[in-house]
Amino acid sequence: MRDELCRRLVARSGDERMVFLTGDLGFMALEPLRDAMGPRFINCGVAEQNMISVAAALSYEGLEAWTYTIAPFCYARAFEQIRNDVCLHGLAVKLLANGGGYAYGVMGPTHHALEDYGILLTLPNMTAFVPAFTEDIDQTLERAGDLPGPAYVRLGRGERPKDEVVPPYAPWRRLLDGDAGVMIAVGPLAGSSWDVLRQLDKANRPALWVVSELPIEANAPPSELTDALRRTRRLAVVEEHVAHGGVGQAMCHWAIEAGIGLDRFRHLHAQGHPGSTYGSQAFLRRRSHLDAEGIALAANSLAS
């Protein structure tokens, strides 16, 4: 997604109000944006807290401020500045966070972003975007950029199944029909889930939906999803995020308030770091049952 991000930001950079701040990251990827923006492209160095405060000041002065670093250095290292300088003032700073979930696999837990949107959505005025496919980046940046308040954009790797066509961007999209309940995937795991569920017949699989904007209170699930839940009373949520503060918990809360009882609920989520060894993102997903086998088991448990 990072290459597409650069292209779209270059297209947006014609607006002289736009400024871009990076925490000494983006080499071999963001040079076209640097060349297009000139002095409006600022390398703040390895100083993420300062970068957020500078971006808040620029936003306060009426500029369109974007910041870029890897996800854990964004939300974890600079949380106080995001809360105090950006969110409490409702400033429209855009936080671009590369490598959500286990994306930086072998670098270990300091480089994993497993609780990011759960933490940031506790703050006032915050909206989180979790694009599922590379094709989502254009609309994600447009919607985030036009928000009057802060936005967090969690970037990953597009995982669209081969030969499938991504539906037009929306906060909620149905990727597959199904009769055995509803499965909701967050971000790039939608592609993995799509690849698994499309191999099952419609009667024995849940309908697959992807959510790309949070909190869900700001974009309530559409009526088609709600109707399917009322009819089947079966829900699964798949997300590369810890359970606490995740979409699984949020959906249960929403269902209770909507008066929808669930007979069966499955939540596939990041298990943190259950072992002493590290590996690729695929290895760490497998440990959390976020791989194809885990997704298939969750789908079958809804249908059985």
Side-chain angles (χ1 to χ4, degrees), residues 43-291:
N43 187 347
C44 293
V46 185
E48 292 82 4
Q49 297 100 322
N50 185 60
M51 177 175 71
I52 297 301
S53 293
V54 170
L58 293 170
S59 178
Y60 183 79
E61 292 297 322
L63 298 176
E64 182 183 295
W66 297 77
T67 70
Y68 177 85
T69 185
I70 73 171
F73 297 173
C74 174
Y75 77 94
R77 185 170 291 175
F79 178 78
E80 182 180 11
Q81 286 70 30
I82 295 172
R83 182 187 66 178
N84 295 353
D85 297 345
V86 176
C87 290
L88 292 182
H89 296 283
L91 295 173
V93 175
K94 315 306 176 184
L95 310 169
L96 298 172
N98 195 40
Y102 289 116
Y104 284 95
V106 295
M107 294 185 178
T110 59
H111 283 58
H112 299 157
L114 305 180
E115 60 284 304
D116 51 345
Y117 52 78
I119 288 174
L120 291 177
L121 290 174
T122 65
L123 301 178
N125 306 305
M126 179 61 76
T127 300
F129 293 82
V130 192
F133 307 103
T134 302
E135 292 86 345
D136 296 346
I137 294 299
D138 183 20
Q139 281 297 304
T140 295
L141 292 184
E142 183 174 337
R143 292 168 73 91
D146 292 345
L147 277 178
Y152 175 75
V153 181
R154 188 200 222 213
L155 299 166
R157 182 182 68 243
E159 300 177 22
R160 174 179 59 84
K162 185 179 179 180
D163 302 325
E164 296 288 359
V165 177
V166 174
Y169 182 87
W172 291 89
R173 285 169 288 176
R174 183 170 52 199
L175 301 178
L176 277 175
D177 289 328
D179 298 330
V182 173
M183 179 177 285
I184 296 170
V186 184
L189 278 173
S192 305
S193 303
W194 194 358
D195 194 36
V196 171
L197 296 190
R198 66 179 181 163
Q199 300 174 48
L200 305 176
D201 63 87
K202 182 172 177 287
N204 294 312
R205 72 185 182 210
L208 177 62
W209 289 77
V210 56
V211 59
S212 298
E213 294 185 24
L214 303 169
I216 62 173
E217 293 82 4
N219 292 286
S223 58
E224 297 92 336
L225 190 157
T226 302
D227 292 344
L229 276 184
R230 291 188 187 279
R231 183 177 66 255
T232 65
R233 301 170 66 90
R234 300 177 182 189
L235 172 65
V237 175
V238 183
E239 56 183 325
E240 202 164 340
H241 187 280
V242 295
H244 192 75
V247 172
Q249 288 190 351
M251 281 301 302
C252 287
H253 183 267
W254 170 83
I256 290 170
E257 288 199 329
I260 300 174
L262 298 176
D263 294 333
R264 200 166 298 172
F265 175 68
R266 298 290 181 270
H267 189 193
L268 301 185
H269 56 84
Q271 300 289 330
H273 305 95
S276 60
T277 56
Y278 300 98
S280 66
Q281 183 177 29
F283 171 82
L284 294 165
R285 281 181 176 180
R286 187 163 60 251
R287 283 197 157 190
S288 292
H289 310 293
L290 292 169
D291 59 346

